[in-house]
Amino acid sequence: MKKFLFLLLFLPGLAHAQLADNFSDGNFTANPTWTGDAASFQVNAQVLQSNGPAVTTTQVALSTPCQATIGTVWEFWANLRVVTTSGNYADVWLIASQADLRATSNSGYFVRLGGTGGKVSLFRKDSTRTAVAVIDGALNSLSTTNNLVRVRVTRTTANQWTLERDLTGGRAFVAEAAQPLDATYQRSVAVGVFLNYSSTNNRNFYFDDFVVTDATAPLLARAVPTDARQVDVVFNEAVAAASAGLPANYRLQSGAVPVSAQLSATNPAVVRLAFAADFAAQDVLQARNVADLYGNVAAGPLTAAFTSLPAAPAFGDLIISEIFADETPQIGLPLSEYLEIHNRSTTKTLSLRGVRLGKTSSTTFAAFADTAKLLPGQYAIVCGSTRISQFTQYGKVYGPTNFPSLNNGGDQLILRGRDGRTLFEVAYSDTWYRDAVKKDGGWSLEMIDTNNFCAGASNWTASTNASGGTPGRANSVRAANADALAPSLLRAIALNATTVRAYFSEKLDSAAAATVGRYALATPGPAITRAAPVGPDFRQVDLTLATALLPSRPSVLTVQTATDCVGNASGVLQPATFALPEKAVSGDVVINELLFNPRVSAVRFVEIINRSNKFIDLQGWQIGSVKPDGTASTTVLSTGPLVLAPGQLLAFSSSLAIITTQYPTSSDAANLVQTASLPTFADVGTAFLADGKGFEIDRFVYSKALHLSLLVTQDGVSLERIRTNGPTLGSNFHSAASAAGYATPGRPNSQAQDEAGGDQELTIMPEVFTPDDDGQQDFATLNYHLDAPGYAASVTVYDALGRLTRRLTRNETLPTNGFIQWDGTDEKGHKAAVGYYILLVELFRPTSGEKREYKKTVVLGARF
């Protein structure tokens, strides 16, 4: 028998044997090494013999490493000198997941010799479960007290099993009829023997001539992508690292070769390939010259087709293309809010796993399920989790929990990737409908050109579909609407002594915007050390300075170029002047114009002006209103940085669109700021201005009586400050001129007057005035410059015949410099007649008893 096996080992079919042991060396501890219950076995006459404890129900095992699993032949000889029963049998493991064959969690395949029925059978064991027969052998094959058998088991590369045995111990094999398919286990660590016996049979099991042969080349089972550029190549058996780890042995159908090939440390049948570019949606992998562990080479090419995995979306891949924020009145769509998302890629399937949808005003986000995906070019509807059934008729629908409530008037929506990066952002407004009827509800907002996804109002409009929208499909308003304009620099603000924020007209390419060399401060100015684009819309860039700025010291920011998010690049941009803001004190910033009684369907506004030499940050400042009953309400003017330069004015309103419509020629959009709301100003009340800490900066006690009494209506007419540096008193305000449209939001006041010049004690300006509210000499001012404080004054107007026309002041204490105005009306509020008038000025100093009296002439005229 030993000579026969020795010759077999030199046959060509056995040249690739992974294991061959006939124990001719007299041991089982080397060539190969068997481990386990070594004390329970011995080699006797060049045969492996059991030698365990003489105890009933003893179990012993011995194994040796072997990774052969498929395209393999296993052979062994055995002699069981026992009457086989359920308590006396031997299991010869062909494929085992663990070297310890007695472990209850062991998995794989084994041949059972004996047991109930005295069979030679092939079993499969699934971890802790009871083994099941794969090939159930013939009854009573092993039924004597001296059972001699040689077994051969073959598993093809197609996972078909054959069990053969020769009950004489020779090689005249007889096959069992069944040849089943079973591909459950593809990996192995060991082969070996497991014995279960009674006390009298402890030395009655004999084994010899173990041979495991793999003469088949490996096959490519499948290719499994793990991301957009990596794929796991799975072979049907373990492969050799030397050949499997060569990138040149693989390629895609496009000809691309991987940049790396790494054999798995946990599964030697798997090789991970990494490529330099994303896979196509459908791809084919080719493998050549890959060898198994036994030298069998697959010349190839072996091929495996695969579908690329859904890729995590990059910026601009996944967008919101439709917004249905106001569902009533119903036009045709369901009465539920929805958003439409769109995969802009024509080649990539996008995985929505971990993608989050929300509003920048909230910390709660809706997360898509791990299985959510969008095919190239596909649209999907996103709605509340309880509203999915309302939209299934339109196409793919996702209903994540925490779907954000959409504000009818406008909101800022954002999509973030699972790594937190911004994928898409839009700050929509109901002005984007461009249609007063559709703005009232029932119609969706649709993106016009999805290739211009960074644009705002210019690329959105109301749906034209008769149902009110196009959920789940291409938009009804789709058209080419490319962005051909490069970004401009709007302004710059010093957030603190070493940080300057630059504001741009549109969304920037965040990577390009982070280039420090694009920015500089005009000499002499500190160097810029860092540029950090500000998400989520990237319209701002925070610049870090090497040295600190000085308060209210103007600096100039220059930008060499700016690139928007679709790639339009500018040249050198218009520079922006800024300075580090200072704290304001009372009177630095004052109310410059107030519209408290707007026209029907119009809105109020408040205009302020910085009359100091400081740069002042209005962040957190409030405008307030106190009614005669003492109740007050306030509105924050700006939640973010908003710096007011010396001499600069800004007007605040809840609707800039209405303001510019009401005052098209007398407003300046560059100096208008939108607020969420403004306080309600009664016809009589107090307007006040407070800083971010609530400290009062200015207060204006106003009433409708301050308006020119000759006005036909006061609706839509503002009160304007006459002199910037004058007090915030009713006497320093006048109705805006009719020629200026009755209000000048964001522009210099129509009734503004320069300070009186010269050294004269009393002057009249102008000497001829025409109170017709046309903005030209609408009132006369008595300017005074007194030689000392403490004077009280009475100013009375008389006509040319000496008749009392109007008392302007009566025993009113005056500052040393100021003015008193006459609007041309008499004591009853009627317009005085055209002609000459005398202003009698009586000054009295109570401390000294000194009296002075002056007469000034003025002409009240009329235009013809």
Side-chain angles (χ1 to χ4, degrees):
M1 180 178 66
K2 293 297 175 182
K3 288 184 178 180
F4 181 68
L5 181 60
F6 180 80
L7 292 174
L8 285 175
L9 293 177
F10 288 94
L11 292 175
L14 298 179
H16 299 286
Q18 185 198 7
L19 174 70
D21 198 351
N22 59 12
F23 306 102
S24 58
D25 56 3
N27 65 71
F28 57 81
T29 58
N31 300 316
T33 301
W34 297 70
T35 59
D37 299 312
S40 297
F41 292 88
Q42 65 182 6
V43 174
N44 182 11
Q46 301 183 22
V47 174
L48 182 66
Q49 180 187 7
S50 61
N51 189 30
V55 178
T56 296
T57 319
T58 293
Q59 295 180 342
V60 295
L62 205 63
S63 70
T64 188
C66 182
Q67 297 186 60
T69 58
I70 195 166
T72 301
V73 179
W74 294 265
E75 274 191 34
F76 61 90
W77 175 92
N79 187 4
L80 277 59
R81 299 175 184 177
V82 300
V83 176
T84 62
T85 64
S86 61
N88 290 284
Y89 61 85
D91 292 341
V92 180
W93 281 80
L94 313 178
I95 294 175
S97 65
Q98 300 179 50
D100 180 4
L101 303 183
R102 293 196 302 169
T104 58
S105 60
N106 205 5
S107 300
Y109 303 92
F110 61 83
V111 173
R112 174 159 292 178
L113 303 177
T116 303
K119 303 177 182 179
V120 178
S121 300
L122 177 66
F123 278 81
R124 185 189 75 237
K125 184 173 183 295
D126 302 319
S127 188
T128 58
R129 296 180 181 180
T130 302
V132 295
V134 177
I135 299 176
D136 193 10
L139 280 171
N140 301 318
S141 297
L142 307 176
S143 58
T144 68
T145 58
N146 185 25
N147 300 292
L148 194 64
V149 66
R150 186 181 295 274
V151 177
R152 181 168 68 188
V153 178
T154 303
R155 183 188 192 182
T156 70
T157 55
N159 295 296
Q160 186 174 40
W161 293 84
T162 302
L163 173 63
E164 301 171 285
R165 75 280 194 288
D166 183 341
L167 299 179
T168 67
R171 302 185 62 81
F173 291 109
V174 175
E176 298 289 347
Q179 295 186 358
L181 297 175
D182 192 308
T184 306
Y185 297 107
Q186 303 285 328
R187 297 174 59 193
S188 176
V189 298
V191 298
V193 294
F194 168 91
L195 308 180
N196 190 97
Y197 60 80
S198 59
S199 60
T200 58
N201 292 314
N202 63 311
R203 301 186 67 190
N204 291 340
F205 294 84
Y206 298 83
F207 301 93
D208 202 359
D209 299 344
F210 285 95
V211 179
V212 181
T213 306
D214 180 352
T216 60
L219 297 177
L220 182 53
R222 58 191 178 277
V224 182
T226 59
D227 62 25
R229 297 187 178 186
Q230 290 192 123
V231 60
D232 282 350
V233 184
V234 183
F235 291 93
N236 69 331
E237 61 177 317
V239 289
S243 59
L246 289 177
N249 285 347
Y250 310 90
R251 69 181 59 244
L252 299 177
Q253 62 182 355
S254 63
V257 175
V259 294
S260 67
Q262 183 66 47
L263 187 66
S264 170
T266 58
N267 187 349
V270 176
V271 181
R272 176 160 294 182
L273 306 179
F275 288 83
D278 291 353
F279 300 126
Q282 303 291 329
D283 224 323
V284 176
L285 179 78
Q286 299 176 355
R288 291 178 171 83
N289 303 320
V290 177
D292 63 14
L293 298 178
Y294 323 117
N296 302 301
V297 178
L302 307 177
T303 61
F306 66 94
T307 300
S308 63
L309 271 184
F315 175 76
D317 283 344
L318 181 67
I319 65 171
I320 295 172
S321 52
E322 189 170 349
I323 302 168
F324 190 53
D326 189 354
E327 66 271 32
T328 57
Q330 187 172 28
I331 303 300
L333 296 172
L335 287 171
S336 293
E337 298 175 346
Y338 72 82
L339 298 174
E340 178 187 82
I341 57 175
H342 172 50
N343 177 2
R344 292 182 59 250
S345 173
T346 58
T347 59
K348 289 193 294 186
T349 297
L350 297 182
S351 169
L352 304 185
R353 181 171 68 89
V355 172
R356 293 175 295 152
L357 164 69
K359 302 195 293 188
T360 55
S361 59
S362 172
T363 57
T364 301
F365 280 77
F368 288 88
D370 288 354
T371 56
K373 64 182 180 180
L374 282 183
L375 299 176
Q378 191 175 25
Y379 296 84
I381 303 151
V382 187
C383 61
S385 58
T386 62
R387 308 301 176 93
I388 295 175
S389 61
Q390 297 182 8
F391 292 100
T392 51
Q393 62 179 306
Y394 298 105
K396 175 170 282 193
V397 185
Y398 290 116
T401 56
N402 297 321
F403 179 78
S405 176
L406 306 178
N407 190 299
N408 293 350
D411 250 326
Q412 187 176 32
L413 303 173
I414 187 169
L415 288 169
R416 293 192 186 277
R418 59 177 176 260
D419 58 359
R421 291 183 303 165
T422 298
L423 302 176
F424 178 79
E425 176 273 342
V426 61
Y428 71 90
S429 166
D430 59 9
T431 61
W432 290 11
Y433 287 95
R434 311 184 198 182
D435 185 304
V437 174
K438 293 180 178 181
K439 174 183 174 181
D440 285 340
W443 298 83
S444 73
L445 279 172
E446 295 184 344
M447 184 181 286
I448 298 170
D449 187 348
T450 56
N451 290 323
N452 187 14
F453 59 89
C454 291
S458 64
N459 197 40
W460 290 78
T461 192
S463 176
T464 57
N465 187 277
S467 67
T470 54
R473 62 188 189 275
N475 291 342
S476 61
V477 300
R478 65 188 183 279
N481 187 34
D483 176 8
L485 296 177
S488 59
L489 177 62
L490 300 179
R491 64 187 185 278
I493 290 177
L495 300 183
N496 53 54
T498 57
T499 306
V500 175
R501 176 166 291 178
Y503 292 78
F504 293 86
S505 60
E506 57 179 316
K507 299 177 184 178
L508 302 180
D509 178 327
S510 58
T515 305
V516 173
R518 294 188 168 201
Y519 314 94
L521 296 187
T523 306
I528 296 173
T529 61
R530 181 173 180 266
V534 180
D537 60 357
F538 302 113
R539 292 174 182 267
Q540 300 94 36
V541 180
D542 282 351
L543 306 173
T544 303
L545 308 182
T547 57
L549 298 168
L550 297 176
S552 293
R553 183 77 59 86
S555 297
V556 178
L557 173 66
T558 60
V559 179
Q560 294 302 309
T561 185
T563 307
D564 66 20
C565 77
V566 295
N568 296 312
S570 72
V572 177
L573 299 182
Q574 184 72 26
T577 300
F578 68 94
L580 181 65
E582 289 188 75
K583 178 179 174 59
V585 298
S586 179
D588 281 347
V589 180
V590 294
I591 296 170
N592 195 50
E593 187 173 359
L594 175 64
L595 177 65
F596 60 86
N597 51 347
R599 300 179 183 121
V600 176
S601 300
V603 292
R604 301 170 178 81
F605 74 83
V606 179
E607 183 182 86
I608 63 175
I609 189 168
N610 181 1
R611 61 183 187 180
S612 74
N613 292 320
K614 303 174 184 176
F615 285 77
I616 297 172
D617 188 358
L618 302 179
Q619 183 172 8
W621 280 41
Q622 301 174 58
I623 189 73
S625 170
V626 181
K627 297 179 181 179
D629 62 3
T631 59
S633 59
T634 60
T635 291
V636 175
L637 296 181
S638 178
T639 57
L642 181 61
V643 175
L644 200 61
Q648 185 182 3
L649 58 81
L650 290 174
F652 297 84
S653 178
S654 60
S655 175
L656 304 189
I658 294 177
I659 289 294
T660 54
T661 299
Q662 291 284 318
Y663 306 103
T665 61
S666 59
S667 62
D668 187 346
N671 294 322
L672 300 180
V673 180
Q674 181 103 11
T675 60
S677 63
L678 276 184
T680 298
F681 294 101
D683 286 346
V684 177
T686 301
F688 66 89
L689 186 65
D691 66 14
K693 294 183 178 181
F695 179 76
E696 188 170 294
I697 302 298
D698 192 37
R699 173 176 287 259
F700 175 33
V701 179
Y702 68 91
S703 73
K704 62 180 182 179
L706 297 179
H707 274 300
L708 179 65
S709 60
L710 302 177
L711 291 172
V712 176
T713 177
Q714 297 179 356
D715 293 350
V717 182
S718 70
L719 286 175
E720 293 183 330
R721 179 180 287 268
I722 298 171
R723 291 187 180 168
T724 301
N725 291 323
T728 308
L729 298 174
S731 60
N732 194 27
F733 282 80
H734 193 279
S735 301
S738 61
Y742 294 107
T744 55
R747 289 186 180 274
N749 292 344
S750 62
Q751 301 291 13
Q753 279 191 358
D754 293 332
E755 297 289 350
D759 295 325
Q760 301 181 46
E761 192 172 52
L762 297 169
T763 58
I764 291 284
M765 292 183 60
E767 294 181 351
V768 178
F769 72 108
T770 54
D772 52 11
D773 199 35
D774 64 353
Q776 303 293 321
Q777 293 87 40
D778 282 337
F779 53 88
T781 57
L782 172 67
N783 302 292
Y784 56 84
H785 176 70
L786 305 179
D787 57 0
Y791 282 102
S794 294
V795 181
T796 309
V797 181
Y798 296 92
D799 65 12
L801 298 177
R803 293 174 297 191
L804 173 67
T805 302
R806 178 81 178 273
R807 296 184 186 277
L808 299 180
T809 65
R810 181 178 296 178
N811 293 326
E812 183 176 313
T813 303
L814 300 181
T816 55
N817 293 282
F819 72 96
I820 298 169
Q821 64 161 298
W822 180 40
D823 60 7
T825 59
D826 60 18
E827 286 288 279
K828 296 181 180 181
H830 299 148
K831 183 178 181 180
V834 172
Y836 285 91
Y837 289 85
I838 302 297
L839 270 67
L840 175 63
V841 182
E842 300 172 281
L843 297 178
F844 172 69
R845 180 179 285 174
T847 57
S848 62
E850 178 184 359
K851 295 182 180 180
R852 297 184 185 181
E853 187 176 289
Y854 302 88
K855 293 181 181 179
K856 295 294 180 181
T857 302
V858 66
V859 177
L860 191 158
R863 298 186 186 277
F864 297 96

